[in-house]
Amino acid sequence: MPWSSRKRDQKTDPDDSAHRVSGKGTLSTADEELLRTLYAEHAGPLFHYVLRLTSGDWQWAEDVVQETLLRAWQHPAAFDPARGPARAWLCTVARHLVIDAHRARRARPAEVGGEALERVAEQAPGEDEIEQALQSWAVADAIRTLTPDHRAILLETYYRGRTMTEAAQVLGIPLGTVKSRTYYALHALRLALLERGIEP
């Protein structure tokens, strides 16, 4: 006998599941038969429908089918033949469950691994910004100790990102001089940074 043609002898209250459980906390025999029929008639096709909605996630699809069938048991009025086919109601409930779960997953912040959390826990608030500011001041101070020629060559090749040839044209000196000044400027800067306790 199809599910939609079965008559319930209980109330048609939309949520009368509490009345349908016997005093021992188990389902009555009539409810067990109805649940078995519901599962036998609709679980297979519903699972395949939900599997497509969940992009092939079997566990999620099984959870959605179980929740859908539970809601069908809690709302027997949905299976009134005047309201249309039972499977259409089941598919609508399942689709809404998948949509709700998808929205909940998107609204939740992304999870991060344990390593990132450990790094944040070990670091004092603002530590990076303070350290970076102090290091910038020390580097600026070290650059001020260089000769004007060395400062000019580092400015062109490192800070302005010019090639050696472009720096030679801008400064109006031979390419070989740019290369040697760059070498000696970096050496002098390295020594100045080491004097200030900064490892280059």
Side-chain angles (χ1 to χ4, degrees), residues 21 25 28 45 50 83 87 98 110 118 142 170 172 177 192:
V21 177
S28 67
V50 173
R83 295 182 73 178
R87 191 165 295 159
V98 171
E118 288 173 9
V170 169
T177 305

Side-chain angles (χ1 to χ4, degrees), residues 79-151:
F79 294 97
D80 183 6
R83 295 182 73 178
R87 191 165 295 159
W89 183 86
L90 290 169
C91 288
T92 300
V93 169
R95 185 170 54 85
H96 286 216
L97 288 170
V98 171
I99 290 170
D100 290 346
H102 181 68
R103 286 179 180 159
R105 287 179 182 177
R106 279 194 344 210
R108 199 168 110 195
E111 296 178 9
V112 295
E115 294 173 14
L117 294 175
E118 288 173 9
R119 282 195 307 267
V120 169
E122 292 171 358
Q123 179 179 327
E127 186 176 292
D128 280 349
E129 292 85 12
I130 293 170
E131 182 67 29
Q132 197 172 22
L134 290 173
Q135 201 168 36
S136 295
W137 289 337
V139 169
D141 185 46
I143 289 175
R144 278 193 291 272
T145 64
L146 299 178
T147 65
D149 288 340
H150 287 164
R151 277 197 307 267

Side-chain angles (χ1 to χ4, degrees), residues 63-74:
D63 290 345
V64 169
V65 169
Q66 182 179 4
E67 180 65 25
T68 303
L69 295 177
L70 175 64
R71 290 188 185 191
W73 177 70
Q74 292 173 335

Side-chain angles (χ1 to χ4, degrees), residues 21-200:
V21 177
S22 70
K24 298 177 184 172
T26 59
L27 293 176
S28 67
T29 308
D31 281 337
E32 270 190 51
E33 182 185 336
L34 289 173
L35 280 173
R36 288 178 201 268
T37 304
L38 178 66
Y39 186 84
E41 288 180 12
H42 301 289
L46 186 61
F47 176 76
H48 291 293
Y49 171 71
V50 173
L51 193 60
R52 286 190 304 256
L53 295 177
T54 60
S55 301
D57 186 336
W58 278 66
Q59 186 175 0
W60 186 15
E62 288 173 351
D63 290 345
V64 169
V65 169
Q66 182 179 4
E67 180 65 25
T68 303
L69 295 177
L70 175 64
R71 290 188 185 191
W73 177 70
Q74 292 173 335
H75 303 284
F79 294 97
D80 183 6
R83 295 182 73 178
R87 191 165 295 159
W89 183 86
L90 290 169
C91 288
T92 300
V93 169
R95 185 170 54 85
H96 286 216
L97 288 170
V98 171
I99 290 170
D100 290 346
H102 181 68
R103 286 179 180 159
R105 287 179 182 177
R106 279 194 344 210
R108 199 168 110 195
E111 296 178 9
V112 295
E115 294 173 14
L117 294 175
E118 288 173 9
R119 282 195 307 267
V120 169
E122 292 171 358
Q123 179 179 327
E127 186 176 292
D128 280 349
E129 292 85 12
I130 293 170
E131 182 67 29
Q132 197 172 22
L134 290 173
Q135 201 168 36
S136 295
W137 289 337
V139 169
D141 185 46
I143 289 175
R144 278 193 291 272
T145 64
L146 299 178
T147 65
D149 288 340
H150 287 164
R151 277 197 307 267
I153 203 72
L154 290 180
L155 177 70
E156 295 300 326
T157 56
Y158 282 91
Y159 292 104
R160 292 189 178 148
R162 296 198 169 134
T163 64
M164 297 280 185
T165 307
E166 291 171 342
Q169 290 173 351
V170 169
L171 295 173
I173 56 176
L175 180 60
T177 305
V178 169
K179 290 179 181 180
S180 65
R181 280 189 190 169
T182 302
Y183 172 80
Y184 289 113
L186 288 174
H187 183 71
L189 180 61
R190 184 175 190 278
L191 291 175
L193 290 172
L194 287 173
E195 288 174 0
R196 287 159 180 78
I198 298 174
E199 185 71 33

